[in-house]
Amino acid sequence: MDSRQPHPLPESWKTRSYGWDAARPDPRTLVGLTGLELLRRMLAGEIPAPSIAATIGMGPTEVEEGRVVFEGFPGDHLLNPLGGIHGGFAATLLDSVMGCAVHSTLAAGQGYGTVELKVNYVRGLTADSGPVRAEGKVIHAGRTIATAEGRLVGRDDGKLYAHGTTTCMIHPLGR
């Protein structure tokens, strides 16, 4: 076989396709919204969700000031080499939900960025675990630094899979 030719796919391989809204909101509109207003509009479908939501298989279900809940859907497209769900799935859900909890406290014209993420995995996710629920809550929201905590549990069985904390830096939008 010519090494420059791609290997044929085994019959057991699956394909996955998905779509996302590639429209981007006008940044001038976003600057005028508080973090809570932006998240509520996203939840209502008035502002497109970020493409990572479709890629990972997650999305918000509840938004209030200082608290945000997402649901995620682990599947066999997210497996690690040992056959469990890759830890990056849980880390991404927790980073997103804790960051959005911080975002929900921001004034218009403010943005944030994660500067530290700590995740503790307490139970392995599998492709058969079913939907999970991630809840993020703000611990402290200061002028330049905010911290939040998050928990990732089975939506139907309530089992804890992971928990974590984050530190976010708050900055003016556009920087």
Side-chain angles (χ1 to χ4, degrees):
M1 174 181 232
D2 184 349
S3 63
R4 293 175 294 165
Q5 296 299 317
H7 295 286
L9 298 178
E11 286 185 29
S12 63
W13 276 43
K14 294 182 179 181
T15 60
R16 179 174 187 250
S17 61
Y18 60 94
W20 65 93
D21 188 342
R24 293 187 179 142
D26 183 340
R28 293 171 296 187
T29 303
L30 300 182
V31 170
L33 299 176
T34 67
L36 184 59
E37 289 169 337
L38 184 143
L39 291 169
R40 284 184 172 159
R41 287 185 184 185
M42 194 174 294
L43 182 62
E46 298 167 10
I47 294 176
S51 59
I52 187 73
T55 301
I56 294 294
M58 65 178 185
T61 59
E62 298 176 41
V63 173
E64 61 188 67
E65 187 171 353
R67 180 180 167 273
V68 175
V69 177
F70 279 26
E71 282 193 1
F73 303 91
D76 62 4
H77 62 290
L78 298 168
L79 297 180
N80 64 28
L82 298 176
I85 298 298
H86 192 282
F89 173 74
T92 300
L93 268 167
L94 287 170
D95 182 43
S96 298
V97 78
M98 292 184 296
C100 284
V102 167
H103 194 177
S104 73
T105 68
L106 299 183
Q110 289 185 308
Y112 73 97
T114 301
V115 295
E116 181 182 51
L117 174 67
K118 168 78 168 88
V119 177
N120 294 289
Y121 302 96
V122 298
R123 175 178 281 112
L125 280 167
T126 70
D128 298 322
S129 294
V132 291
R133 183 177 186 269
E135 179 177 7
K137 292 181 183 179
V138 169
I139 298 170
H140 169 78
R143 188 176 52 80
T144 58
I145 295 290
T147 57
E149 61 189 359
R151 295 171 50 87
L152 181 67
V153 300
R155 184 189 69 188
D156 300 330
D157 62 14
K159 290 181 181 177
L160 179 66
Y161 288 95
H163 58 93
T165 56
T166 193
T167 302
C168 296
M169 180 173 288
I170 300 168
H171 56 80
L173 280 178
R175 286 189 30 194

